[in-house]
Amino acid sequence: KAKSDGRGLTRIFSDELASAAETRRELQADLEEAWRLRQFRLVYQPIYEADSRRLAGFEALLRWTHPTRGEVRPDQFIPVAEETGLIARLGAWVLETACTDAMQWPDSLFVSVNLSPVQFRDGAVEAQVYRALKRSGLPHHRLELEITESTLLQKEVETQAILADFRRSEISIALDDFGTGYSSLRYLIDFQIDRIKVDRYFVEGLADKSSSQAIIQAILALASTLGLKCTAEGVETEEQAEMLGAGGCTHLQGYLLGRPLQPEQARALAHAARHRLEAS
Ligand code: C2E
Ligand code: MG
Ligand code: MG
Ligand code: MG
């Protein structure tokens, strides 16, 4: 299509493509280097109970500070780490670091860790999860694993067995970005899911899009019927928080309630929240 638009545009188009490919190649090499030089770290975004607004736990989010590019977003580098295979080592490190950090919080709080479909595909995920729990000493029920619908699409029988095993071990499973993937309601029944995370896209449209309102209402009704917990992502306004709480959403996460925090800040918040509770 670009060709029919004339030479100028074609050249711009292919230059852009070439530079995208180049950026990707650079990222691949830089990621290996980053792993060697330990340029990765985790930040923790608080998750609150919707009705009481009590702190319930934190989601661990990966950060990479590149020496010249600065902060590289996980949406950009995780797909590359999945291609190169680095995700296996990186994913294991995330699990162990998150479980170890969570040991510093009051034991009523959970930690939620994002898992890549590739960690399931290569069969390493079970060993990684149990090793992280064992090395950190974190009780199983304090760990939640966030998977996406694309994880459920691949190696269905094997994945179902792994998730059932996690469930038997009291590890929780959350279905992340719910509503944006190849959602099939069958997943909620066939796979042992504890929680749905409503994607930020729907939360964003809550105030002025009736379609988003209808979808959120349907998701919340479904979650409640199936006895699933539900976290809304990307809550930025009090209006959104109120609509979600009224609709039966159990947990809220977003800039309104808190940005992702450095581990020390998360730890301080976790302990401050406990003291507030004890005082009340
Ligand atoms: P996610 O798991 O859906 O994480 C939520 C994303 O929304 C995070 O982006 C978070 O910073 C952002 N967010 C939270 N509240 C708000 C809000 O109120 N407004 C807006 N605009 N954004 C909000 P982040 O940290 O850039 O991560 C992006 C994605 O990268 C994550 O989406 C997750 O899919 C992936 N990711 C992050 N850490 C890891 C990891 O350790 N392993 C794997 N496999 N994936 C990860
Ligand atoms: Mg997540
Ligand atoms: Mg999400
Ligand atoms: Mg997301």
Side-chain angles (χ1 to χ4, degrees), residues 9-239:
L9 196 68
T10 309
R11 200 171 57 237
I12 293 166
F13 183 60
S14 54
D15 280 357
E16 257 171 28
L17 268 186
S19 86
E22 200 178 311
T23 304
R24 210 167 178 80
R25 266 197 308 279
E26 280 172 23
L27 270 182
Q28 287 183 357
D30 287 1
L31 270 173
E32 269 304 322
E33 176 93 343
W35 172 253
R36 265 198 323 107
L37 299 177
R38 299 169 182 269
Q39 286 168 357
F40 297 104
R41 64 202 162 82
L42 291 180
V43 290
Y44 295 94
Q45 187 174 30
I47 299 170
Y48 290 86
E49 281 177 12
D51 50 2
S52 67
R53 299 277 172 105
R54 276 186 200 162
L55 183 65
F58 292 90
E59 177 175 4
L61 295 164
L62 193 55
R63 292 290 177 266
W64 174 25
T65 315
H66 185 281
T68 55
R69 276 182 229 279
E71 291 292 320
V72 187
R73 294 176 45 84
D75 290 331
Q76 287 182 284
F77 72 79
I78 286 181
V80 182
E82 288 174 340
E83 271 172 23
T84 65
L86 177 67
I87 194 70
R89 282 168 283 160
L90 197 51
W93 176 84
V94 168
L95 275 163
E96 196 166 330
T97 306
C99 290
T100 304
D101 286 342
M103 283 296 284
Q104 308 279 317
W105 310 336
D107 57 17
S108 57
L109 302 179
F110 69 85
V111 65
S112 205
V113 176
N114 292 286
L115 296 181
S116 154
V118 176
Q119 287 170 276
F120 280 84
R121 208 185 308 148
D122 67 17
V125 74
E126 268 190 294
Q128 290 178 355
V129 167
Y130 289 114
R131 193 182 312 120
L133 286 167
K134 198 162 176 205
R135 288 204 184 154
S136 63
L138 189 76
H140 292 193
H141 72 270
R142 294 185 55 200
L143 177 62
E144 180 169 275
L145 303 172
E146 297 194 8
I147 60 171
T148 56
E149 288 154 332
S150 53
T151 294
L152 302 180
L153 279 173
Q154 63 181 9
K155 292 176 69 171
E156 206 174 296
V157 176
E158 289 90 337
T159 303
Q160 209 165 329
I162 295 172
L163 296 183
D165 176 70
F166 285 151
R167 249 295 195 73
R168 276 193 297 276
S169 311
E170 289 188 272
I171 300 163
S172 303
I173 307 295
L175 195 49
D176 205 355
D177 305 337
F178 190 75
T180 60
Y182 302 88
S183 303
S184 162
L185 300 182
R186 183 175 65 80
Y187 292 154
L188 298 177
I189 295 167
D190 287 356
F191 292 89
Q192 310 225 7
I193 306 291
D194 301 272
R195 180 193 298 275
I196 292 172
K197 296 197 78 172
V198 182
D199 196 74
R200 176 156 58 88
Y201 175 82
F202 302 113
V203 175
E204 222 172 75
L206 205 46
D208 42 44
K209 267 199 227 144
S210 60
S211 55
S212 292
Q213 287 167 15
I215 288 169
I216 289 206
Q217 267 165 20
I219 295 175
L220 293 177
L222 190 70
S224 131
T225 304
L226 296 175
L228 304 175
K229 287 176 276 189
C230 188
T231 301
E233 299 183 317
V235 180
E236 294 185 352
T237 69
E238 192 57 51
E239 187 184 10

